[in-house]
Amino acid sequence: MRVVDADPDRGAFLDTLLVSGDPDAAAPHEVEPFGPAATVLAYRDTAHATDLVARGRGSLAASVVSDDLAWTTAFVQEAAPWHGRLHLLDSTNMAQTTGHGSPLPALRHGGAGRAGGGSEMAGIRGVVDLMQRTALQASPRVLDSLRSVPSSSPADHT
């Protein structure tokens, strides 16, 4: 690898790693890579997709790409408790996307489960950390479809 404009003795400079694997295997859900890595898992239906999300026990961000409002709404309802941020793309916002995992200024770093624990528990923060929060980054069309979605929690999925 040729390093450009960087000191190879002070860091690691890796290309993005994209892995496709068996969605029902344990490793994609138990190994948490850090860095420029992503895993693509095929799913059979909405229930299988949301089960795969829950098996990971929490993530900073997930991207969802669909023009099907009913499917997106059903998926968000089940997947939101497991993520700090859901990046929802449809044909109306694809050209303006900030990309998967782009932090939003008001978010605390972290998501649900193993991705977000560990902030201080003093004062009001102690209460807030016990509440489920998921940021939704989506088009107005998708956000409007989600307004009447009842909430759920990771405890509902155990």
Side-chain angles (χ1 to χ4, degrees), residues 58-101:
S59 175
L60 293 174
S63 289
V64 177
V65 181
S66 178
D67 255 342
D68 183 336
L69 287 176
W71 185 90
T72 301
T73 300
F75 183 83
V76 167
Q77 186 173 4
E78 296 296 320
W82 300 101
H83 294 87
R85 179 172 53 258
L86 287 175
H87 185 215
L88 309 171
L89 297 169
D90 65 8
S91 60
T92 67
N93 69 349
M94 288 294 290
Q96 301 148 359
T97 182
T98 58
H100 171 85

Side-chain angles (χ1 to χ4, degrees), residues 101-127:
S102 297
L104 303 174
L107 295 181
R108 184 190 94 180
H109 183 75
R114 56 184 182 176
S119 71
E120 82 284 353
M121 293 297 289
I124 194 68
R125 176 57 104 179
V127 174

Side-chain angles (χ1 to χ4, degrees), residues 28-33 50-62 78-86 110-117 132-134 154:
H29 310 285
E30 295 174 3
V31 177
E32 188 172 14
T50 57
D51 177 62
L52 295 175
V53 166
R55 286 182 62 193
R57 299 185 319 260
S59 175
L60 293 174
E78 296 296 320
W82 300 101
H83 294 87
R85 179 172 53 258
L86 287 175
R114 56 184 182 176
Q132 172 62 42
R133 299 180 311 269
T134 301

